[in-house]
Amino acid sequence: MVAITAFLTLLLPVVGGVASRNKESRKRPIILDKSGGFTVGGKIISSPIFPNNTLSCDHGYMEYFIPWRPRKTSLVMWHSATTQAFQNRWDGGEGYKDMFLRRRYPVYLWDGPRVGRANWACEPYLYTPLYRDQGNFVAWNFGPSYPNFWPGVQFPTWDHEAWQQATSSRYVEFDSNKNVHLESEAAAVAADSGRLGDSVVYLTNSASGLRAQMTVVKSNSTNIKGIVAYESYGYVFPDTANITAGEPFGPMIVPLEDFKKLAKLPAIQFVWGDHRDDTFPFVRQARQAAKLINQYGGNAKLFFLPKDAGLKGNTHSAFADMNNDEVADLLDDFLEEYDLDGYNADIDDDIDDSLQEWLKAGY
């Protein structure tokens, strides 16, 4: 039996009749065919003291939400700091997860090995409090210094609880090249398994952008179709590019033939918010990486929200910003442009009539 999840908070009527092109899709309730989760990758190790005792560890965790009569492309939302950023807007409003479930995309929330719900590690590590709250404020591009917000920033600056929710939701991170390999290996297993479908687009943020690029490099299938990287910290380069590897946010250097896998994707988009230009090191790296990807026949572009879309005040995580509905419309454009928005051949695009009949039946 089809499970139904109806979120009754609907959009307010649009004043003056001016509506987003996706107004109708966002008015629909979210109807799920199924939801759940699974672990992927990792290994099993034996106790050095009691060899018969084992630990399953270094796996990733994938939570999934599959709409009724879904589109063909799965959106894997890969955070750097917390899945919460994809679940809600900064003020608690609707986040990307529900926005794209309303649009009938299968949505997957990924916790890589040792992060969040996949925190069983195969190696010991020492946790030391890092006192990062104030650093989060600057790193997430809320303002030039704590607690000074940028004028016009797309964050509810009047709401201290919103700031507390944002910084409290952050997970412990493992920013190292070793972890880049660990996470991307598990993600590649997930992509190649077919459990995400045969058309996968990664939506990433910050350091997960580097990990998604490395996942493409490690994947042995053609299931990955694109990456939309919101303010990616770190890039992959071929070993022919005369670029020195770095840590913890790359650059990562791989053999040329592996690098060319990035050029086989239909599209890669590196998205940047406000106060970002070529003085920012990762913007310069993005330009270098895109140029090389395109040199080998790929399609990688930088997209600046202020310059290319007229959006102002966006932070490091535009998908969680107060104008995330407009940012989501841009993702719609991307998916449509590269034919990643379609449905399976046996599914009709327009389900409104059948939906009404189904709801009237008493479900």
Side-chain angles (χ1 to χ4, degrees), residues 31-34 65-70 100-101 104-107:
I31 303 177
L32 299 180
D33 178 56
K34 57 184 176 181
F65 306 85
I66 311 301
W68 180 49
R69 305 177 74 176
F100 284 91
L101 285 174
R104 294 167 54 203
Y105 286 94
V107 170

Side-chain angles (χ1 to χ4, degrees), residues 88-92 140-143 149-158 162 166 273-275 305-306 310-327:
N88 291 102
R89 201 170 58 192
W90 295 125
D91 67 342
W140 295 343
N141 201 18
F142 292 166
F149 287 98
W150 294 114
V153 68
Q154 294 287 343
F155 187 89
T157 59
W158 60 89
D274 223 339
H275 311 285
L305 294 175
L311 302 185
K312 304 296 184 182
N314 283 105
T315 71
H316 186 53
S317 306
F319 50 86
D321 285 347
M322 299 300 289
N323 64 344
N324 66 351
D325 57 337
E326 295 177 285
V327 179

